[in-house]
Amino acid sequence: MATDDQQPGPEALGKSATQRSAREIAPGVYFLAGFGNTTIIVGDDGVAVVDPGLFINGPRVVGELRAITDLPVRYVIYTHGHYDHAFGTPALLADAQDRGHAAPDIVGHVNVARRFERYAKTSGHLAKTFDLQFASWGPGGGDVVRKATYCPPTIAYEDRIALDGIAGMPLECRHGLGETDDHTWVWVPDAKVIVGGDFIVSSLPNAGTPFRVQRYVLEWAEALEEMAAVEPVAVVSGHGGVFTDDATDMLLTTSQALRWLDGEVVRRINEGQWQEQILAEVELPSEMAASEYLQPLYGCTAFAVRDLLRRYMGWYDGNPSMLFPSTRAEVAQEVLALAGGAEALLQRAEELAAGDAAEQQRALHLVDFVVYGGGPEVADAHRRKADLLDLRADSERSFVAHNVLKSAAVLERQQADDAG
Ligand SMILES: [Zn+2]
């Protein structure tokens, strides 16, 4: 198990982490827990800061850094360009200016700048999805997009780069594909510490998530194996804690699960199975599912399977009726007409709501005919759908799944009020 910064449940990934100060995990290497963790690496004449975190986290990083050292920041290193890792930079640039230090170099993979361009291009969409994914959690939801300042790398590398600008503390950045296509893990050879970014998330890797672009399950496994090969004494996660004695076990157990998922989905695709069957049937083998390193606290198996399907297949789902589908409203109106109105559907949904998660899920589909059918019961249907979404959220351990369902319930209640 990871050390004290790890707790079971989403709290380990969230707010409670920001109450703690930085602590030294190896000579010159300081771990600062946050929603996205920060690592401060102090050499003889300068400092590297890995992942300054959310934009609102920047001043906290500066405060913690300056409680440790007055040395100039030579490098700000991004493990990847996500909003919860690479956006606290302006506070560090302002600190350098206030102190009369040269501006630090910003180090990242070449795809970080491409990511930032995409983020700027699709910012309206992204803000909405962050509202949906994080609304019930707290710090701003879509504000992480709306208030972002983009500080792209001044040193962009492709495969790996050695950084020797800090006396006594050589650093190496290595690229791998995993949660993103712009990922870096940082190797601090003298301390034998890895700063793993979101390759390491203290739970089942978030290898597919509803609103985001492609993730890379097999290459993620390869990166974890590369990390294990350097025999680190400590591995810092992007979310959660620091792994020490069991670091290699964690790395290899996790890579094994990712390799299994990739192989299992590919095997089924080659057998001619379609998405629906694969999604319904693929579950981690029980000994993997029981591992403390593979709990679905942030992502979940079904989301990883979705990204594997997207990686290896087109969008055709095996049913030719879906090649040019009718709208949901058109189908719903036909079903409502045949059912003699909404009552029978809502009644059956009510019965199913008292059952298990699978029955509650079926109830959602029945209520959807009424929601999309647009008849006089639509406000009532939105309210019932909200209640069902809350029930479904209660049975989902994944932070992402739970938040999406909870946030959607809030929106359904708003739509019920709007519909009268
Ligand atoms: Zn992250």
Side-chain angles (χ1 to χ4, degrees):
M1 198 68 191
T3 48
D4 51 311
D5 299 288
Q6 167 103 18
Q7 302 161 6
E11 312 78 52
L13 305 159
K15 285 190 219 167
S16 64
T18 62
Q19 310 302 321
R20 301 191 198 104
S21 297
R23 66 183 174 85
E24 194 168 20
I25 57 166
V29 182
Y30 296 81
F31 171 71
L32 177 62
F35 178 75
N37 295 327
T38 300
T39 305
I40 298 168
I41 303 166
V42 182
D44 296 336
D45 63 355
V47 178
V49 176
V50 186
D51 283 355
L54 290 162
F55 75 95
I56 52 170
N57 196 52
R60 174 172 172 255
V61 171
V62 170
E64 293 286 331
L65 164 70
R66 292 307 168 208
I68 296 168
T69 178
D70 286 325
L71 288 172
V73 177
R74 180 80 180 83
Y75 302 117
V76 177
I77 303 172
Y78 298 156
T79 62
H80 59 299
H82 275 172
Y83 287 104
D84 52 340
H85 294 263
F87 286 81
T89 309
L92 288 163
L93 298 179
D95 174 68
Q97 194 165 30
D98 291 348
R99 289 168 176 266
H101 296 160
D105 270 314
I106 300 170
V107 184
H109 184 259
V110 288
N111 283 343
V112 171
R114 292 174 189 144
R115 168 180 302 279
F116 287 176
E117 285 165 19
R118 174 169 62 82
Y119 279 1
K121 184 175 176 179
T122 60
S123 60
H125 163 71
L126 285 171
K128 185 176 171 179
T129 65
F130 275 84
D131 280 338
L132 288 172
Q133 188 169 336
F134 295 107
S136 60
W137 173 63
D143 279 357
V144 302
V145 179
R146 296 182 192 100
K147 296 184 178 175
T149 302
Y150 294 94
C151 302
T154 57
I155 298 177
Y157 78 100
E158 294 223 23
D159 182 40
R160 61 172 74 180
I161 187 171
L163 302 172
D164 53 11
I166 301 173
M169 197 59 98
L171 303 170
E172 190 174 306
C173 296
R174 298 198 191 183
H175 169 60
L177 295 170
E179 188 184 88
T180 64
D181 66 358
D182 62 353
H183 233 97
T184 290
W185 56 277
V186 182
W187 174 228
V188 190
D190 290 4
K192 292 183 82 66
V193 171
I194 284 173
V195 185
D198 280 0
F199 284 116
I200 316 293
V201 289
S202 309
S203 62
L204 181 73
N206 188 22
T209 195
F211 304 113
R212 309 283 166 239
V213 300
Q214 184 70 54
R215 300 186 166 186
Y216 304 91
V217 173
L218 185 59
E219 292 86 346
W220 196 325
E222 290 166 354
L224 297 177
E225 288 155 13
E226 210 186 313
M227 290 182 204
V230 302
E231 299 182 354
V233 298
V235 176
V236 178
S237 69
H239 301 274
V242 180
F243 293 85
T244 52
D245 294 346
D246 63 345
T248 302
D249 187 25
M250 177 276 295
L251 290 168
L252 296 180
T253 301
T254 308
S255 77
Q256 192 183 24
L258 291 169
R259 278 188 183 279
W260 184 89
L261 279 168
D262 181 88
E264 178 66 6
V265 170
V266 169
R267 180 184 71 76
R268 287 168 175 267
I269 290 171
N270 283 329
E271 283 182 3
Q273 295 181 18
W274 290 106
Q275 290 94 323
E276 185 180 77
Q277 181 184 357
I278 296 171
L279 266 171
E281 293 180 0
V282 173
E283 281 178 35
L284 282 180
S286 54
E287 72 277 13
M288 288 187 194
S291 167
E292 62 186 308
Y293 309 123
L294 299 174
Q295 296 307 298
L297 301 181
Y298 197 82
C300 58
T301 304
F303 291 174
V305 170
R306 291 247 189 208
D307 254 33
L308 284 162
L309 294 169
R310 174 161 62 169
R311 179 91 184 266
Y312 292 117
M313 303 178 86
W315 52 261
Y316 183 71
D317 69 356
N319 178 2
S321 303
M322 297 304 289
L323 199 58
F324 299 103
S326 309
T327 64
R328 287 179 181 134
E330 287 167 341
V331 176
Q333 281 153 15
E334 294 290 341
V335 171
L336 282 175
L338 286 172
E343 198 178 323
L345 291 164
L346 293 177
Q347 174 62 38
R348 178 61 183 148
E350 190 83 19
E351 291 164 20
L352 290 168
D356 61 15
E359 289 168 305
Q360 290 160 2
Q361 182 62 41
R362 288 213 298 284
L364 271 173
H365 296 304
L366 293 185
V367 168
D368 267 350
F369 287 119
V370 187
V371 166
Y372 286 95
E377 300 86 355
V378 72
D380 187 32
H382 277 300
R383 260 178 223 105
R384 295 194 192 205
K385 184 170 178 178
D387 293 342
L388 284 164
L389 291 168
D390 280 336
L391 284 172
R392 288 289 293 108
D394 290 343
S395 56
E396 291 298 329
R397 293 175 69 202
S398 154
F399 178 79
V400 175
H402 184 88
N403 270 7
V404 172
L405 292 165
K406 279 284 185 194
S407 301
V410 172
L411 291 176
E412 290 295 331
R413 289 197 178 91
Q414 282 170 9
Q415 285 174 286
D417 292 345
D418 292 346

